[in-house]
Structures are given as C-alpha cells and as structure tokens.
Amino acid sequence: MSESPVSTLTREDSWAMLRDNEFGRLAFHLADEVHITPINYAVDAQGRIVVRTAEGSKLLGLTMNADVAFEVDEIDEHEARSVVVRGRARTLDGHEADETEELPLRPWVDTVKLNVVAISVDELTGRRFSLTRPWRHIRPEKA
C-alpha cells in the first residue's frame, strides 16, 4: 500500500509555519453569520496571534463572540501545508497593546488600524498534502 498523501505537521512545525508567515484568514461570527476575511498577523512572545483592525464588522464580531478560527497556508509545486487555529479573541489595550508595537505587523493596505486583537490558541492542527496535480499532465499544448 502506498504512503498517504496527507500527513500531520508536528506542533513545532505548525508553530514555525505560523511564525514564518504574516498573512492568513480569520473566521469569526457576526450575529447569525460566519465571516472569513484575509488578515495580516504576527505571533507574539506569549504564543498568541496578534492582529490590528479598524472599527467595523470584524471588530464588532470579535467583541460579540470571541470564538474564532484562523488559517494560514503555504503551497509550492510539490506540497501544500495548512495550519488551523481555534481560539478566543480579545481586544488588547494599555500596556498590553503597547507591547505589540515591536511585532512585525505590516498592513498591506494603508488604512488606520488602531485596535489590537490577540487570539489565544486553544487548538492547533497542521497538515501537509503531497500534490500530484494530475491535471497538469492532461493540459493541451500551447500553440
């Protein structure tokens, strides 16, 4: 029997992947709906995922229901890796928010994001997928 194309990342590899990236997706509740949004982030010394956000639906959703999920992916020609976090978000203020100033939180969009949110990690799972991409072998040749 052949080796499975899906394997589990170690906890250490999952954390390394979270630390090595800066862009992921945040899933949160807003009233009776589930929303997902791309977001820049950093991992702090306490092992929390830290984001900055402006006032709006994301902050409102996180305030109304702190349960969130967060995902980061990497993909190349041979494999894909995915780390999913489940946790609880809370807004940081005062000294706690000031401590995040040294984190590499680099927004991709030039907007003011004054609110700092930290996600405490309750559950962390990582997986690696070996890609065969059979569709690449059946593409018609370009003229």
Side-chain angles (χ1 to χ4, degrees), residues 1-142:
M1 188 169 222
S2 65
E3 188 175 312
S4 173
V6 180
S7 60
T8 302
L9 294 176
T10 65
R11 186 167 180 80
E12 293 78 19
D13 287 343
S14 295
W15 274 110
M17 190 169 145
L18 283 172
R19 287 186 181 95
D20 289 346
N21 286 280
E22 63 183 69
F23 185 76
R25 281 165 297 289
L26 177 68
F28 60 96
H29 298 273
L30 181 57
D32 293 336
E33 300 175 339
V34 176
H35 292 250
I36 189 163
T37 185
I39 196 160
N40 297 88
Y41 76 96
V43 176
D44 71 4
Q46 291 86 20
R48 299 177 300 187
I49 295 168
V50 179
V51 301
R52 289 188 169 281
T53 188
E55 300 287 331
S57 60
K58 186 181 336 144
L59 185 61
L60 178 61
L62 297 174
T63 303
M64 292 172 57
N65 186 336
D67 292 326
V68 298
F70 179 82
E71 179 186 30
V72 63
D73 298 306
E74 295 176 339
I75 188 167
D76 62 30
E77 285 295 312
H78 306 289
E79 69 179 18
R81 292 157 304 283
S82 178
V83 173
V84 175
V85 167
R86 289 195 172 112
R88 297 192 49 82
R90 76 178 176 89
T91 303
L92 303 181
D93 50 23
H95 180 67
E96 274 189 308
D98 293 342
E99 288 178 344
T100 67
E101 290 297 322
E102 300 301 316
L103 293 174
L105 281 172
R106 295 178 292 271
W108 289 3
V109 178
D110 187 18
T111 58
V112 178
K113 296 179 171 94
L114 300 176
N115 303 286
V116 181
V117 175
I119 300 168
S120 298
V121 177
D122 296 331
E123 184 181 329
L124 172 75
T125 57
R127 297 171 80 186
R128 177 179 289 114
F129 306 89
S130 296
L131 304 178
T132 55
R133 298 184 178 200
W135 63 89
R136 290 193 169 202
H137 305 289
I138 59 174
R139 278 196 239 178
E141 292 293 322
K142 291 185 178 181

